[in-house]
Amino acid sequence: QDKLYVPLISKGFQHQFWQAVKAGADKAGAELGVEVTFEGPDNESQVDKQIDMLAAALAKKPAAIGFAALDSQAAIPLLKQAQDAKIPVIAFDSGVDSDIPVATASTDNIAAAALAADKLAELIGDAGKVAVVAHDQTSRTGVDRRDGFVNRMKESHPNVEIVTIEYGGGDHLKSTEITKAILTANPDIKGIFGTNEGSAIGVVNGVKEAGAKVVVVGYDSGKAQKDAVRDGSMAGAITQNPVGIGYETVKAAVAAAKGEKVEKNIDTGFYWYDKTNIDSPEISAVLYD
Amino acid sequence: MSELVRMEGIDKSFPGVHALKAVDFDLQTGEVHSLMGENGAGKSTLMKVLSGVYRPDGGRILVDGQEVSIPTPRAAQDLGIGIIHQELALMRDLTVAQNIWIGREPRLSFGRLDEAKLNADTAAIFAGMNIHMDPRTPVAGLTIARQQMVEIAKALSYRSRVLIMDEPTAALNDAEIAELFTIIRRLKAEGVGIIYISHKMDEIKRISDRVTVMRDGAYVGTVAAEETPISRIISMMVGRELTDEAVTIPDLSGAETALEVIDVSRGRELKEISFSLRKGEILGFAGLMGAGRTELARAIFGAEPIDSGEIRVHGKPLRITSPAEAVRAGIGYLSEDRKHYGLALGMDVRANIAMASLRRHCDAIGRIDEAALARVAKDYIQKLAIRTPGDRQEVRLLSGGNQQKVVIAKWLLRDCDILIFDEPTRGIDVGAKAEIYRLLNELAAAGKAIIVISSELPEVLRLSHRIAVMCEGRLTGILPGGAEQERIMELATQRNGKTAA
Amino acid sequence: MSEKASLRGSAQQKILAFASLIVLLIGFSLASPNFFQVSNIMAILQATSVNGVLAVGVTMIIITGGIDLSIGTLMTFCAVMTGVVLTWAGMPLPFGVLAAIGTGAFCGFVSGGLVARMKIPPFIATLGMMLVLKGLSLIVTGTKPIYFNDTPGFTLIAQGSLIGQFVPAFPVPNGVLVLFIVAGVTSWILSRTVLGRYTFALGSNEEAVRLSGVNTNFWKIAIYTLSGAICGIGGLLIASRLNSAQPALGLGYELEAIAAVVIGGTSLAGGRGTILGTLIGALIMSVLTNGLRVLSVAPEWQTVVTGAIIIIAVYADQMRRREAK
Amino acid sequence: MSEKASLRGSAQQKILAFASLIVLLIGFSLASPNFFQVSNIMAILQATSVNGVLAVGVTMIIITGGIDLSIGTLMTFCAVMTGVVLTWAGMPLPFGVLAAIGTGAFCGFVSGGLVARMKIPPFIATLGMMLVLKGLSLIVTGTKPIYFNDTPGFTLIAQGSLIGQFVPAFPVPNGVLVLFIVAGVTSWILSRTVLGRYTFALGSNEEAVRLSGVNTNFWKIAIYTLSGAICGIGGLLIASRLNSAQPALGLGYELEAIAAVVIGGTSLAGGRGTILGTLIGALIMSVLTNGLRVLSVAPEWQTVVTGAIIIIAVYADQMRRREAK
Ligand SMILES: Nc1ncnc2c1ncn2[C@@H]1O[C@H](COP(=O)(O)OP(=O)(O)OP(=O)(O)O)[C@@H](O)[C@H]1O
Ligand SMILES: Nc1ncnc2c1ncn2[C@@H]1O[C@H](COP(=O)(O)OP(=O)(O)OP(=O)(O)O)[C@@H](O)[C@H]1O
Ligand SMILES: O[C@@H]1[C@@H](O)[C@H](O)OC[C@H]1O
Ligand SMILES: [Mg+2]
Ligand SMILES: [Mg+2]
């Protein structure tokens, strides 16, 4: 009999975040002796591209599928198809609104962004103007992080004003330009939140190019982000546990394929890291380059 | 004299067309050798073989007695063979001088262009040709005739030993032709061999030493120009005798007025032009290059706006602001520039003939009646003797003269009450010309009102019931049919009321 | 005789155009047993449907010598308007269909007007429209997808299978059926009607057409309008496939559709092109994408191979055409 | 006389081309006090640098009547190769510069060959290249960015300010300087050299150029090669600005650059165009983007307004040109 085959359909593959998920998945694949593939569309608006990928994955008659839905509802017919074919589905990254997935390994983005809000508020003395450079206006993660951040500010930090929210598609350069424009429009701004790796690095670059003094809070990891945290150009950032997400997804998939019982919700957690704890073992374990 | 070029048994086929069938041709130094034949006989194709555009399927070419192969235009140039192509091949976005020296630009260091020398050299060539043109003029704005001049200047700039001229005078008028002939004689004296193609029979006698005739892609024969009567050459070309009738001017005093043009002006091009045209009348327009005849026709046709004046059709004043309105009002216009304004070159003969008349050949939901169009197209192909493998052949693959016939067919099919023909016989062979004259007369007899603009005075004289003459945007006079050539020339050069030399 | 020969030549060409596609199909079938199976072939066809419909629509515009960069975001905007009519206003299904097609036609009409009457280069006019429509979709929806859960049967438009009801072995999804119908009708329009004739003529020599007394502006606008309506159908299909109108979708679809058109042998210079070619072009692209995925080629290599094969396929086609002459 | 008028007209046109840009600048200055400030103007210029360089490069290709869709991913690939040479191989800075320009030139050479020798339509050839290069960047880097932390001074290429050292009031970033130098040289090449002459000639009537005995293939390849080299400079700039080679970047940059070219009055049909126009086109785009952001216009409205203004600007320019005639 051939090796078990587990494809992971993600939301992308080019971000370092996704590469870390992939690394975790590959690791689990190697340990458990299953074949793992990993792919995702170019950007998070390509809902239908992802559906086509799911369709192609189903054609390969996999043992189980890992799926990070860009839009859960849109994927339902194919998920049903998987269910009918008795292919277990494991949701990862941000969850799937459906009861088809037998398990979900994800980050609670709303809570994570709320933590970022708390941290940023604290760093600017709980008062003043801040802005958000988000990576996407419509995707689940983009929306959750924006809303988690904004709502927490409104609820718990009434003296912090969010002056603007812009979207840079996670493109480093675009996010840089956006940051500079925000700084021009709001010379008195105190803090900016970048909602994923590309956005956060863009904010750091923009602040640097404009020669401004602004507290930057980021999201995710990656070499540039770690460097920025170390040299103080970024006050700190939220990191998820992408390697863990990938690892747990594959592990759950294999278990489900073998008919074993799997835990329904695998919360892979999120962490705040800054200069002080970046080298601590529990943080460095979830950071990636 | 010595032999410059010899072509032996040249063969060339295109899909569906055997264009050259073992053709022989030779050229001596210092001679003008005319190549004659009906439209589609294969003249241009033979010359394209000689100038490296096409590679022959068979036969051989000798230059200075040496067998050569001419795979590219460059190779032809290197052998000293230059050509003026029948279909103007200019780069519209470049200036006149840039066009002329393309590929041989005078350079400074670092690949820099010596633009000053480029323009000066061009000016010198123009001076030698006795024409006035700023070397820095963009080609895009030039009339067809001016473009033709540029092509000639370009060919001269090569200082070739063999110069092929494929219908260089098709768009020129008598004065310019005379100028060109002076140049040709000069080149001849310098020992250049010239291959000359034209459908203007009178030119053949004036300029050539020998004449080679082709028919249907085959070599018919070579004769000495001097001792061979034109009628003999024509019969070699068409394989029969042609009879030409003289103009008969009908009595139109009772005829209804079809078109009135009253005080039409636009910018510097058209100045207060008034005339009228009756049903059944053929009004010829004569004038020098740039006299404004084309501009006037385009203005009447709504292709170009007018500043002031009025146009009446069948007595009703009309504001015509687009060709569509003109055609709706029953006016048709055949442009002098078939390639740019007359044909969809990539489409087939049938579609082009039908272009102005589709509405009449479709049903309520816009479905085209192809069967009817096929019939019509075949009809015109036969009537105008259009040489084509079929009505589905792309027009771009037809010879120049046959393309012109397709444009004519388009307007004949449209059947307008008022027809304006701008240089209708440009590039058309004698036989077909006679046929077109006959057609125009028939149309007039059937009550159509017709304007013919032509740079060929004999044509104007042969056709017109009245002759309008223009100079520098003004209508300087209207003469009765059959007027004296001298009188026409006088009006054609009458600047601002005064007569120039 | 020669006429027949040239007809034969062109028929030959049509068959030859399939060659690259066939080679790909055979190649992938040999490489993976999972590839040539009814369910996967249906998946490929389904994946072709949206892009195919857009490509068919834009083929007309490209034949006129124009271009339409707005097709992707227009498709989305049409899907959004369908959502507005069906989900928000709660109207019955046919109105949703009308909304998509009507919106498409209207926007096509506007683009056509910009190009024909205001003489704005098609690239700019439709680039502008692309951005405007992209923004409008986000504005109208408030950046949230609109779902069609309240319109039973909506997903059947693309996902159901009329054919499957009669021929269970070939459950061709309706989306594909729609694509073939749209392609058939458009092909008929192009080859049989006045509109089609002027489409080619405009691309071949617009000025000559105008000087033939044809109201070129009118016809150009008509062509853009029709193409827009076809985009609307594309919007309907994608909405049905995703059971939702995704307002952020759309960018990038124009390039994919135009690529299908050009791979299919239609010249961007205008004047020539066929719907059959476009269909084949669209199929080549989706067979490639699907096949490489089924072979589990690493995603970064998928792009490389796709790029290379597109070039090779077009080159091979051209070689064949030259030989056919 | 009319000939002289047309010469005069073209000088006039050049000045008028600025009009849309000026109107935008004045409008934004009035709308926000923060807009017209040295730092923001520098930010706008800096934001123009990468897109501007790409646009200048592709202008040449568009003038030949071609198109290059690969410029965005080629830029990235060049940045990656610089990273390989500087960070991985640890060579000194000049080699990194050479790597970027050399890689660009080589890829341009390949595209040129596909177009000129293999007669693949530029759209397809460069679409293929776009995909191939996109994949290659990911493959070479292992989908990880390459950082330039070990190459001190690398960020100065785009971000430093030579001019600022002499004129502290105008700290024009080096990236902008590079853009202006590239634009100046290209403009000079186009108007003064043989290569430039053939660029226009090819776009105007390629067959006529060939019939004049020019080796059109050679020159076409040369033009693509040069344009590729310019892309390489763009890759250098973006790498320097981001202090890294980001392998996933690049898609979409081609459309932006081509838009700048067309807004600047260069015709996609070939034969006409200016570098000055392209610069203005690129500036119009970045002024628009920056201005709307400074005004804090909602992002979805930013797209709508950008689309509308692009159309209006081009329309206004055309009206002016027609009047100038
Ligand atoms: N590229 C081609 N493909 C197919 N047929 C062609 C091609 N070029 C020329 N022909 C055909 O070859 C024949 C000879 O054409 P050619 O242009 O040599 O005629 P010609 O004698 O110059 O006529 P004209 O006096 O009208 O210019 C014509 O029937 C023409 O349709
Ligand atoms: N020799 C010239 N000098 C300057 N302009 C010229 C010349 N010839 C043509 N033109 C341009 O052409 C315009 C009028 O030409 P038009 O085509 O109407 O003349 P035409 O009488 O039809 O002559 P033809 O068509 O034989 O050249 C002029 O206004 C001018 O712009
Ligand atoms: O969804 C992803 C998110 O989790 C990560 O942080 O950034 C990239 C996104 O694609
Ligand atoms: Mg000829
Ligand atoms: Mg004229």
Side-chain angles (χ1 to χ4, degrees):
Chain A
Q1 184 65 35
D2 272 349
K3 268 205 215 174
L4 287 183
Y5 171 52
V6 180
L8 265 58
I9 307 298
S10 88
K11 296 177 180 176
F13 73 99
Q14 301 161 343
H15 281 298
Q16 291 324 291
F17 174 82
W18 294 118
Q19 286 297 316
V21 175
K22 179 173 185 290
D26 288 342
K27 181 162 163 253
E31 281 175 16
L32 302 169
V34 296
E35 187 194 343
V36 172
T37 57
F38 190 96
E39 66 178 325
D42 281 342
N43 66 63
E44 297 193 9
S45 66
Q46 297 178 329
V47 180
D48 67 323
K49 294 262 153 29
Q50 196 189 36
I51 304 273
D52 289 338
M53 290 179 179
L54 195 54
L58 284 174
K60 292 186 271 188
K61 309 194 178 66
I65 286 185
F67 184 51
L70 287 171
D71 185 299
S72 322
Q73 297 219 29
I76 285 182
L78 279 168
L79 292 178
K80 285 222 176 88
Q81 211 174 304
Q83 194 178 33
D84 294 345
K86 305 234 161 10
I87 301 171
V89 176
I90 316 296
F92 67 98
D93 185 53
S94 53
V96 172
D97 305 330
S98 147
D99 48 17
I100 295 175
V102 296
T104 300
S106 70
T107 306
D108 182 344
N109 279 295
I110 296 186
L115 175 58
D118 288 337
K119 293 286 182 187
L120 181 56
E122 184 190 318
L123 287 162
I124 62 172
D126 217 13
K129 294 181 176 175
V130 301
V132 178
V133 177
H135 65 278
D136 204 286
Q137 194 170 8
T138 56
S139 75
R140 192 73 267 140
T141 52
V143 169
D144 284 355
R145 285 174 206 171
R146 176 194 67 198
D147 293 351
F149 183 88
V150 171
N151 291 339
R152 174 61 61 91
M153 281 299 183
K154 281 205 188 120
E155 285 157 15
S156 316
H157 310 284
N159 294 327
V160 176
E161 183 199 352
I162 297 174
V163 288
T164 186
I165 302 171
E166 295 271 358
Y167 303 88
D171 176 314
H172 300 67
L173 189 58
K174 212 167 262 160
S175 304
T176 304
E177 312 297 7
I178 286 175
T179 304
K180 286 166 80 177
I182 291 176
L183 293 170
T184 302
N186 310 280
D188 52 347
I189 201 157
K190 288 201 172 152
I192 303 180
F193 173 43
T195 65
N196 80 345
E197 188 195 352
S199 314
I201 297 302
V203 172
V204 169
N205 283 342
V207 169
K208 217 180 263 169
E209 281 191 16
K213 272 189 66 74
V214 174
V215 178
V216 180
V217 165
Y219 205 112
D220 287 340
S221 174
K223 177 166 162 41
Q225 207 157 177
K226 289 198 308 198
D227 288 350
V229 168
R230 282 209 176 85
D231 72 17
S233 48
M234 187 181 292
I238 302 289
T239 181
Q240 315 170 65
N241 179 5
V243 181
I245 291 176
Y247 189 87
E248 296 297 337
T249 304
V250 172
K251 206 172 112 187
V254 173
K258 293 186 175 150
E260 293 161 17
K261 218 180 121 43
V262 290
E263 198 182 326
K264 189 92 188 155
N265 280 306
I266 310 162
D267 186 352
T268 48
F270 56 84
Y271 312 84
W272 167 259
Y273 68 101
D274 56 20
K275 231 186 227 173
T276 60
N277 68 351
I278 188 165
D279 294 315
S280 69
E282 62 275 26
I283 291 298
S284 56
V286 291
L287 294 181
Y288 48 91
D289 281 333
Chain B
M1 273 205 223
S2 62
E3 186 179 275
L4 257 177
V5 172
R6 168 168 295 279
M7 301 177 82
E8 287 173 358
I10 302 293
D11 223 90
K12 177 76 189 169
S13 289
F14 300 110
V17 184
H18 195 172
L20 297 176
K21 302 165 189 158
V23 177
D24 297 331
F25 186 82
D26 73 283
L27 180 70
Q28 308 285 319
T29 54
E31 80 160 339
V32 175
H33 190 160
S34 286
L35 187 55
M36 306 288 296
E38 289 179 291
N39 296 133
K43 306 180 293 293
S44 298
T45 305
L46 185 68
M47 292 304 108
K48 285 181 181 167
V49 167
L50 182 56
S51 58
V53 178
Y54 292 148
R55 310 191 68 162
D57 301 335
R60 54 186 209 135
I61 303 173
L62 292 86
V63 173
D64 295 326
Q66 299 282 313
E67 183 162 347
V68 294
S69 102
I70 311 178
T72 62
R74 187 73 200 218
Q77 282 173 21
D78 292 344
L79 288 167
I81 301 172
I83 180 166
I84 302 173
H85 284 288
Q86 175 179 15
E87 297 307 323
L88 300 174
L90 294 171
M91 290 136 274
R92 292 171 68 79
D93 301 300
L94 266 49
T95 68
V96 165
Q98 292 168 353
N99 260 281
I100 289 176
W101 296 101
I102 191 79
R104 303 164 296 143
E105 294 80 1
R107 300 188 192 184
L108 305 166
S109 49
F110 305 111
R112 275 180 309 149
L113 295 162
D114 190 345
E115 206 73 13
K117 181 164 173 1
L118 185 85
N119 288 325
D121 289 353
T122 308
I125 296 177
F126 284 153
M129 291 169 68
N130 230 337
I131 64 171
H132 302 280
M133 200 172 340
D134 188 329
R136 294 167 302 171
T137 318
V139 161
L142 297 182
T143 60
I144 264 286
R146 307 278 283 169
Q147 292 183 33
Q148 184 67 263
M149 296 298 220
V150 175
E151 286 278 14
I152 294 170
K154 179 174 173 185
L156 293 178
S157 75
Y158 279 97
R159 311 202 149 280
S160 316
R161 295 186 305 137
V162 177
L163 184 52
I164 305 165
M165 298 185 163
D166 196 350
E167 302 199 30
T169 57
L172 302 187
N173 66 22
D174 290 345
E176 294 137 14
I177 293 173
E179 207 60 69
L180 177 66
F181 283 4
T182 315
I183 296 166
I184 290 180
R185 292 203 184 91
R186 200 169 65 216
L187 293 173
K188 219 174 108 158
E190 290 166 10
V192 175
I194 292 161
I195 306 175
Y196 189 84
I197 302 176
S198 174
H199 289 294
K200 300 185 177 175
M201 303 306 296
D202 56 317
E203 293 175 359
I204 304 309
K205 274 283 185 193
R206 278 165 64 196
I207 198 73
S208 44
D209 301 304
R210 286 192 297 159
V211 177
T212 289
V213 176
M214 290 176 66
R215 187 166 67 225
D216 277 339
Y219 174 80
V220 175
T222 302
V223 294
E226 204 150 327
E227 53 242 32
T228 320
I230 287 286
S231 58
R232 170 97 205 338
I233 295 176
I234 292 178
S235 67
M236 282 170 80
M237 281 167 63
V238 300
R240 69 196 144 89
E241 295 290 330
L242 276 185
T243 47
D244 196 23
E245 315 134 43
V247 62
T248 47
I249 300 170
D251 176 22
L252 294 166
S253 50
E256 197 187 309
T257 302
L259 176 74
E260 278 169 281
V261 172
I262 305 163
D263 282 342
V264 163
S265 296
R266 199 208 37 249
R268 270 188 275 265
E269 284 96 28
L270 299 175
K271 292 166 201 151
E272 298 186 342
I273 293 178
S274 302
F275 68 91
S276 66
L277 176 66
R278 288 173 195 265
K279 288 180 75 170
E281 184 178 30
I282 300 180
L283 177 61
F285 267 78
L288 299 182
M289 180 171 81
R293 296 162 301 168
T294 297
E295 301 272 341
L296 175 63
R298 286 174 58 91
I300 296 172
F301 190 58
E304 218 91 60
I306 56 175
D307 294 343
S308 62
E310 190 177 270
I311 291 166
R312 294 190 188 167
V313 178
H314 299 307
K316 256 188 286 164
L318 284 185
R319 267 191 44 73
I320 299 172
T321 57
S322 73
E325 288 169 41
V327 171
R328 222 175 297 133
I331 305 175
Y333 168 65
L334 177 140
S335 160
E336 62 181 339
D337 185 347
R338 59 171 172 258
K339 209 161 150 190
H340 289 114
Y341 303 133
L343 293 165
L345 286 172
M347 297 178 83
D348 60 28
V349 173
R350 188 197 294 173
N352 270 284
I353 292 179
M355 194 64 83
S357 320
L358 275 184
R359 292 290 192 97
R360 290 204 203 122
H361 292 94
C362 70
D363 62 12
I365 60 164
R367 211 165 13 160
I368 297 172
D369 185 351
E370 286 292 348
L373 284 184
R375 268 195 310 277
V376 169
K378 294 205 168 103
D379 193 33
Y380 278 108
I381 288 173
Q382 202 205 3
K383 219 192 244 171
L384 300 178
I386 302 174
R387 195 159 303 215
T388 168
D391 64 332
R392 304 308 301 269
Q393 180 83 337
E394 279 179 40
V395 167
R396 117 190 117 81
L397 302 177
L398 263 48
S399 79
N402 285 304
Q403 291 180 1
Q404 183 71 13
K405 292 180 187 173
V406 172
V407 194
I408 293 175
K410 172 171 80 178
W411 287 111
L412 293 180
L413 173 60
R414 173 67 213 201
D415 192 28
C416 297
D417 295 335
I418 302 166
L419 278 164
I420 307 173
F421 287 110
D422 197 351
E423 313 286 1
T425 61
R426 193 159 80 81
I428 287 196
D429 68 48
V430 267
K433 234 183 229 178
E435 186 58 27
I436 285 165
Y437 294 164
R438 206 178 50 74
L439 263 166
L440 288 181
N441 278 322
E442 266 177 35
L443 289 171
K448 309 274 176 205
I450 296 173
I451 290 175
V452 174
I453 300 171
S454 173
S455 302
E456 284 181 73
L457 264 189
E459 180 163 290
V460 173
L461 290 168
R462 161 73 184 71
L463 275 171
S464 315
H465 302 160
R466 283 190 299 152
I467 300 168
V469 189
M470 288 184 71
C471 177
E472 295 182 341
R474 283 169 301 110
L475 187 62
T476 46
I478 298 186
L479 302 170
E484 299 280 306
Q485 291 215 17
E486 289 69 29
R487 186 73 192 110
I488 295 176
M489 284 316 291
E490 214 169 90
L491 289 173
T493 51
Q494 185 178 328
R495 331 189 106 125
N496 262 335
K498 279 164 278 166
T499 309
Chain C
M1 183 185 60
S2 58
E3 191 179 344
K4 253 188 237 158
S6 90
L7 285 182
R8 200 176 339 111
S10 90
Q12 216 167 20
Q13 237 180 61
K14 273 185 200 148
I15 298 159
L16 282 172
F18 280 106
S20 294
L21 180 57
I22 308 274
V23 170
L24 279 179
L25 285 174
I26 295 177
F28 282 126
S29 303
L30 294 178
S32 161
N34 293 325
F35 179 80
F36 205 80
Q37 294 196 344
V38 173
S39 70
N40 194 45
I41 297 300
M42 294 305 143
I44 292 175
L45 286 173
Q46 180 73 282
T48 318
S49 60
V50 174
N51 184 39
V53 167
L54 296 186
V56 166
V58 80
T59 303
M60 297 196 75
I61 291 184
I62 292 178
I63 293 176
T64 69
I67 190 100
D68 192 346
L69 299 177
S70 71
I71 45 178
T73 59
L74 173 54
M75 160 191 89
T76 297
F77 188 59
C78 294
V80 166
M81 292 314 286
T82 306
V84 168
V85 164
L86 294 184
T87 302
W88 291 6
M91 297 199 209
L93 190 54
F95 288 91
V97 175
L98 274 184
I101 299 180
T103 305
F106 175 75
C107 296
F109 176 79
V110 173
S111 295
L114 292 172
V115 172
R117 304 213 125 264
M118 297 175 66
K119 309 276 175 250
I120 297 171
F123 186 92
I124 294 291
T126 61
L127 175 77
M129 283 299 277
M130 155 175 143
L131 295 172
V132 169
L133 292 170
K134 179 182 162 199
L136 283 183
S137 291
L138 291 169
I139 291 167
V140 169
T141 57
T143 72
K144 282 186 189 53
I146 306 180
Y147 295 97
F148 293 96
N149 294 335
D150 308 336
T151 309
F154 186 74
T155 52
L156 295 182
I157 294 178
Q159 302 183 32
S161 176
L162 259 180
I163 296 182
Q165 287 179 10
F166 301 102
V167 201
F170 286 99
V172 179
N174 290 341
V176 180
L177 203 62
V178 172
L179 168 61
F180 286 143
I181 293 172
V182 168
V185 172
T186 311
S187 184
W188 178 83
I189 290 177
L190 275 178
S191 59
R192 300 284 139 145
T193 71
V194 175
L195 183 68
R197 181 59 46 84
Y198 287 142
T199 306
F200 285 98
L202 284 172
S204 188
N205 187 346
E206 181 171 344
E207 190 56 13
V209 180
R210 195 177 75 92
L211 290 177
S212 298
V214 176
N215 185 342
T216 46
N217 285 354
F218 171 84
W219 291 104
K220 216 187 251 181
I221 293 175
I223 293 162
Y224 276 85
T225 305
L226 178 58
S227 166
I230 294 176
C231 253
I233 297 177
L236 208 59
L237 287 185
I238 198 160
S240 166
R241 273 202 76 190
L242 303 177
N243 193 25
S244 56
Q246 299 282 344
L249 213 84
L251 229 57
Y253 284 71
E254 67 289 343
L255 195 66
E256 218 159 303
I258 296 169
V261 176
V262 184
I263 293 173
T266 295
S267 152
L268 281 180
R272 56 190 63 211
T274 60
I275 296 296
L276 183 64
T278 296
L279 276 187
I280 295 172
L283 279 169
I284 286 181
M285 301 217 355
S286 32
V287 165
L288 253 177
T289 323
N290 175 285
L292 293 172
R293 279 180 192 149
V294 168
L295 292 188
S296 299
V297 173
E300 53 271 39
W301 279 106
Q302 283 182 25
T303 18
V304 174
V305 175
T306 306
I309 292 189
I310 287 177
I311 293 178
I312 295 170
V314 170
Y315 180 66
D317 257 9
Q318 247 169 6
M319 289 281 73
R320 258 181 258 113
R321 258 176 245 180
R322 234 173 287 167
E323 269 165 36
K325 276 189 193 165
Chain D
M1 193 173 47
S2 65
E3 289 169 12
K4 247 187 242 162
S6 91
L7 288 180
R8 193 164 0 101
S10 91
Q12 220 167 18
Q13 237 180 67
K14 271 184 199 149
I15 298 161
L16 282 170
F18 279 106
S20 294
L21 180 57
I22 308 274
V23 169
L24 279 178
L25 285 174
I26 295 177
F28 282 125
S29 303
L30 294 179
S32 162
N34 296 322
F35 179 79
F36 206 79
Q37 297 193 343
V38 172
S39 68
N40 195 45
I41 298 300
M42 293 306 142
I44 292 175
L45 287 173
Q46 179 74 288
T48 318
S49 58
V50 173
N51 184 37
V53 166
L54 297 185
V56 166
V58 80
T59 301
M60 299 197 73
I61 291 183
I62 292 179
I63 294 176
T64 68
I67 190 99
D68 191 346
L69 299 177
S70 71
I71 46 177
T73 58
L74 173 54
M75 161 192 88
T76 297
F77 188 59
C78 293
V80 165
M81 293 314 286
T82 305
V84 168
V85 165
L86 294 185
T87 303
W88 291 4
M91 298 200 208
L93 190 55
F95 287 91
V97 175
L98 274 183
I101 298 180
T103 306
F106 175 75
C107 295
F109 175 80
V110 173
S111 293
L114 292 173
V115 171
R117 305 215 123 266
M118 295 173 68
K119 308 278 175 246
I120 297 172
F123 186 92
I124 295 292
T126 61
L127 176 77
M129 284 299 277
M130 156 176 141
L131 295 172
V132 169
L133 293 171
K134 179 183 161 198
L136 283 184
S137 291
L138 293 169
I139 292 166
V140 170
T141 57
T143 63
K144 280 188 188 41
I146 306 181
Y147 295 96
F148 293 97
N149 294 335
D150 308 336
T151 310
F154 187 74
T155 54
L156 294 182
I157 294 179
Q159 302 183 33
S161 177
L162 259 181
I163 295 184
Q165 287 179 10
F166 301 102
V167 202
F170 285 99
V172 179
N174 290 342
V176 179
L177 203 64
V178 172
L179 167 62
F180 285 143
I181 293 172
V182 168
V185 171
T186 311
S187 185
W188 179 82
I189 291 178
L190 276 178
S191 58
R192 302 280 139 140
T193 71
V194 178
L195 182 68
R197 177 62 38 84
Y198 294 146
T199 308
F200 285 99
L202 284 171
S204 196
N205 187 345
E206 181 170 343
E207 186 58 14
V209 183
R210 203 178 65 84
L211 289 179
S212 302
V214 175
N215 184 344
T216 48
N217 284 354
F218 171 84
W219 291 103
K220 217 186 250 181
I221 293 175
I223 293 162
Y224 276 84
T225 306
L226 177 58
S227 167
I230 294 177
C231 254
I233 297 178
L236 209 57
L237 287 186
I238 198 167
S240 166
R241 281 203 69 189
L242 301 177
N243 193 25
S244 57
Q246 296 288 343
L249 218 79
L251 227 58
Y253 283 68
E254 68 290 342
L255 195 64
E256 218 157 306
I258 296 169
V261 176
V262 184
I263 292 173
T266 294
S267 153
L268 280 178
R272 53 189 70 203
T274 60
I275 295 296
L276 182 63
T278 295
L279 276 187
I280 294 173
L283 278 170
I284 286 181
M285 302 220 351
S286 31
V287 165
L288 253 177
T289 324
N290 174 286
L292 293 172
R293 280 179 189 150
V294 168
L295 292 186
S296 299
V297 174
E300 53 272 36
W301 279 105
Q302 284 182 23
T303 15
V304 174
V305 175
T306 307
I309 293 189
I310 287 177
I311 293 178
I312 295 169
V314 171
Y315 179 66
D317 258 10
Q318 249 170 4
M319 287 282 74
R320 258 181 258 114
R321 257 176 246 183
R322 235 173 285 166
E323 268 164 38
K325 276 190 193 162

